[in-house]
Amino acid sequence: MARVYVSAVMNATLDEAWGLLRDFGALGNYHPFFEKSYIEDGKPSDQVGCVRHFTVRDGGGYLREELLALSDDEHRCRYRILHIDADWKNYVAEMHLLPVTEGNRCFGEWWATFDVPADQEAAAVERVAATFRTFFECVDARAAGKL
């Protein structure tokens, strides 16, 4: 089983970072790897069970992900991949944000586990880690007024 863990301290408040993450359907609006993100069937983007559908830029296919949990109290969300144009199975990811008590910053951690053929694991792990790192960079850019 592949495991990915990425953490970062972001130059954004907890509320700023959570505001970006909380909208499960908006991924394609700010993350440079993705585009054309929307929630299927017109459901609210914060409704557990909603499914986001988005396209990977540059011909990378599409993904469908189901929101499994969303907590405004804990600043946490969990989701699973329903469809990806790759040989991945049982993908579940979770993200959690915490305030940093010194300064207007927050700490984010994001992890995932999934099954992938052994000969593809290193590339898959790096792809997921890069996606998570880039999200944290997007939070920084938005807080700095660059996004």
Side-chain angles (χ1 to χ4, degrees):
M1 175 171 284
R3 298 179 194 283
V4 178
Y5 179 85
V6 174
S7 65
V9 174
M10 294 164 278
N11 293 313
T13 66
L14 179 63
D15 288 340
E16 289 169 333
W18 184 241
L20 197 57
L21 171 70
R22 190 182 190 290
D23 187 349
F24 192 64
L27 187 66
N29 296 337
Y30 62 84
H31 198 297
F33 294 2
F34 309 112
E35 61 187 350
K36 300 178 185 168
S37 177
Y38 63 92
I39 299 296
E40 295 179 357
D41 301 324
K43 292 182 178 178
S45 63
D46 61 354
Q47 179 180 339
V48 171
C50 74
V51 175
R52 74 175 163 199
H53 185 162
F54 57 95
T55 304
V56 180
R57 291 189 192 275
D58 301 322
Y62 74 94
L63 280 87
R64 294 179 67 240
E65 297 177 337
E66 179 185 15
L67 183 62
L68 299 174
L70 182 73
S71 172
D72 288 325
D73 293 334
E74 296 180 358
H75 302 96
R76 179 185 303 267
C77 84
R78 186 172 57 251
Y79 61 93
R80 69 183 177 130
I81 291 179
L82 300 175
H83 171 86
I84 186 170
D85 292 319
D87 194 14
W88 301 3
K89 307 286 185 236
N90 305 311
Y91 181 103
V92 176
E94 186 163 337
M95 193 217 199
H96 182 216
L97 301 176
L98 293 164
V100 172
T101 60
E102 300 298 321
N104 288 323
R105 298 179 298 158
C106 73
F107 172 79
E109 58 181 344
W110 202 331
W111 60 92
T113 58
F114 57 104
D115 298 317
V116 60
D119 63 331
Q120 300 173 28
E121 185 171 343
V125 165
E126 180 48 39
R127 178 179 170 186
V128 172
T131 300
F132 295 170
R133 276 193 304 274
T134 301
F135 169 78
F136 293 140
E137 292 166 4
C138 289
V139 170
D140 276 341
R142 175 161 287 183
K146 297 177 184 175
L147 183 64

